[in-house]
Structures are given as C-alpha cells and as structure tokens.
Amino acid sequence: MKTTLTVLCENTAGFPMKIMGEHGLSILIERGEERLLFDTGQGIALLRNASSLGKDLSQVTRVALSHGHYDHTGGLSDFLDVSPNATVCAHPDVFIERFARFEGPTGPQTMSIGIPFSKEALEEKGAAFDLSPALREISPGITFSGEIPRPADWKTWDDRLVVKDGDDFRSDPFLDDASLIVDTAPGPVLVLGCAHAGLHPILEHVRKETGIDRFHAILGGTHLGAGTQEDWENALGLFESCGVEKIATSHCTGFHAASFLAGHLGDRVSPASAGVSFEF
Ligand SMILES: [Fe+2]
Ligand SMILES: [Fe+2]
C-alpha cells in the first residue's frame, strides 16, 4: 500500500508554484484510501497550499493535533469550513492557555500562543472531539502516541514557553505533546509536531508501547533549534540507534541543527518544506 506524506504548511516553501511558507506545521497523510491531517499550521497557508497542490481537504475527515500551539492548530477553523464534520484527535490539554515570554523590540513581552479557538466554537462548526491521553490507533495503520511519560529529571528545552501558575508562570509541561506512527511498506514512519516532550522520551515510549524498534523515517519538528550541540549529538545517536534511513526535519529544528544532521548523515537528511511530498 502506498503512503504519501505531503507537507502543507511549514516555515519554508519547497515547491516553486504558488506555495506559501509560514511559521507552523501541517502534514497531509494519504495511506491507501485513508486521509488524515496532522496539524493545521497557523491558518494562513493551509487552504491555499492544499489547493495549489491539488489536495482536496473535503475528503479528510480526521485531524490529529500534536499539541495546542497556534502554529499547529490555527488552521483548524478554516479546515472545518471545508470539512465540517471532521473528528479532531488530541490530548485533552490541547486547549490550555499558553504563552511565550521573550525580549521584544520594546522590552520583555508575553504573547499568547495557545490554540486560538474554544472547543465550543469548533463544535459549533461541526467538529467532533476524540480527546484522550492514551496511545491509540486513530485510523487504519496510523497510531497517535498519546501522552509521553517523562524521566524524573525531565526538563523543557525551551524556558520561553510557559503556562499560567496562579499570578505567575511556569514552564509548559507539554503533556499534550504527541506524535504519529504511520505504518508504511518500508517500515514505520514517526511524524513529529514539535517534539516538546523530547526526542528520547518520545522514542522510548513508542518503542515500549508498540514494540517497534526500528523506524524507516522520522519527519517533522524536532525542537532541536532550542537545544545545544550536545542535544544535537544525542539526537544523532538516537536516530542511528533506531536505524532511521530518512530524516526530514523541519519547522522548529532550525537551520543550524538541520545543518548539523545533514553534515553527519548526508542525503539521508532533507528539508520537509511546504509543498514537498514523501512517498513510502
Ligand atoms: Fe511549532
Ligand atoms: Fe510548539
């Protein structure tokens, strides 16, 4: 059975005709007759890029959300305009408020970066929700990782990303961070949103719960852009230990971490830019 993963939204445009880049991620998974959308970008490019690529989103009746950041969920309302009765699979924490704190041009800033819609507003548009922290098959051959258990010494890579804690803020624990495991002819493909839970905990969890030991490919955001050179070296070792043949990094991987991986793994690494398809 042929499986095609097409990047509909990503920070860069990788196809020459009428494709728009935006900070965000959305990947259309076509597996046999099944159609599933993984994340929706931030809502600027989704419908335009899908149309430019000849992808009919009205045929997609299932969406999986990797986590509640605006750059992965902001296209949900536009998507529901095209496919009003879709089922949305996610962790229940996808709707919590979240913020980014950073140094802006006029001083320290706190910006809301959570999902920009309420559950009720999306339900009014016709969405049905499958919200659970459990690992589960959400479409034939496509498994939602569910909540990723963390080691006792787990620490976020990105202290700028926070949630409210009374009158103050604390690091976002990202309990909703989830990935997909897609069965394909050459082997399982792991599709990451931002990997906020960390690459090592994600792979540990998936290996333990599914028995999968080797991945044919890993696609999506790794958040290595917020990591250190040591984190990049650990990721490289992890990918090698999983026997990964193809790595298509994108989004929050960032230029320097992607360059590091490409420098070591050569043409096994490629950019997963908007408009690019991967066939398995
Ligand atoms: Fe992101
Ligand atoms: Fe994120």
Side-chain angles (χ1 to χ4, degrees):
M1 181 189 295
K2 188 170 99 172
T3 304
T4 305
L5 274 65
T6 302
V7 184
L8 296 183
C9 301
E10 205 269 334
N11 305 31
T12 55
F15 184 74
M17 302 300 287
K18 296 183 176 177
I19 292 293
M20 181 187 281
E22 67 171 38
H23 178 84
L25 188 69
S26 176
I27 298 175
L28 176 65
I29 301 171
E30 298 169 277
R31 185 178 182 277
E33 298 303 308
E34 297 294 321
R35 303 283 179 273
L36 185 140
L37 189 64
F38 181 58
D39 288 344
T40 66
Q42 58 174 290
I44 303 168
L46 180 69
L47 299 189
R48 180 194 176 113
N49 286 354
S51 166
S52 297
L53 294 163
K55 302 297 184 186
D56 180 2
L57 294 184
S58 71
Q59 303 298 308
V60 180
T61 55
R62 199 165 280 269
V63 185
L65 299 176
S66 65
H67 62 301
H69 275 159
Y70 76 103
D71 54 325
H72 297 253
T73 59
L76 200 45
S77 182
D78 283 352
F79 169 73
L80 290 168
D81 288 338
V82 177
S83 183
N85 298 313
T87 299
V88 182
C89 307
H91 185 288
D93 278 6
V94 76
F95 283 105
I96 66 172
E97 273 194 297
R98 1 181 75 112
F99 302 87
R101 294 194 301 179
F102 56 94
E103 198 63 35
T106 55
Q109 290 186 15
T110 302
M111 192 171 81
S112 173
I113 58 166
I115 184 169
F117 318 107
S118 68
K119 181 166 175 271
E120 293 71 28
L122 296 169
E123 282 170 337
E124 267 175 36
K125 296 194 93 168
F129 282 92
D130 167 16
L131 299 180
S132 165
L135 178 141
R136 57 201 185 274
E137 189 171 53
I138 55 173
S139 184
I142 302 178
T143 300
F144 184 79
S145 72
E147 186 174 318
I148 308 296
R150 314 299 164 88
D153 60 349
W154 184 85
K155 187 181 169 307
T156 180
W157 279 0
D158 200 333
D159 283 323
R160 298 168 303 172
L161 308 178
V162 294
V163 292
K164 279 219 170 111
D165 188 6
D167 292 336
D168 204 353
F169 294 95
R170 63 183 165 90
S171 290
D172 192 334
F174 289 113
L175 297 183
D176 55 332
D177 182 71
S179 308
L180 296 184
I181 305 103
V182 183
D183 285 344
T184 77
V189 173
L190 181 66
V191 190
L192 304 164
C194 273
H196 287 296
L199 290 169
H200 201 274
I202 291 169
L203 281 158
E204 275 287 285
H205 174 65
V206 171
R207 282 165 143 173
K208 181 165 170 262
E209 295 298 320
T210 65
I212 295 170
D213 205 34
R214 299 179 78 77
F215 291 89
H216 175 68
I218 295 182
L219 272 74
T222 62
H223 222 71
L224 285 171
T228 62
Q229 170 103 13
E230 189 183 351
D231 295 321
W232 304 348
E233 283 163 7
N234 288 340
L236 185 65
L238 192 59
F239 294 152
E240 292 286 36
S241 77
C242 294
V244 180
E245 289 172 39
K246 175 100 194 148
I247 296 167
T249 52
S250 60
H251 185 44
C252 49
T253 302
F255 174 77
H256 291 100
S259 302
F260 172 86
L261 292 174
H264 285 82
L265 299 174
D267 60 9
R268 287 162 62 195
V269 176
S270 62
S273 304
V276 173
S277 283
F278 299 90
E279 288 191 4
F280 301 101

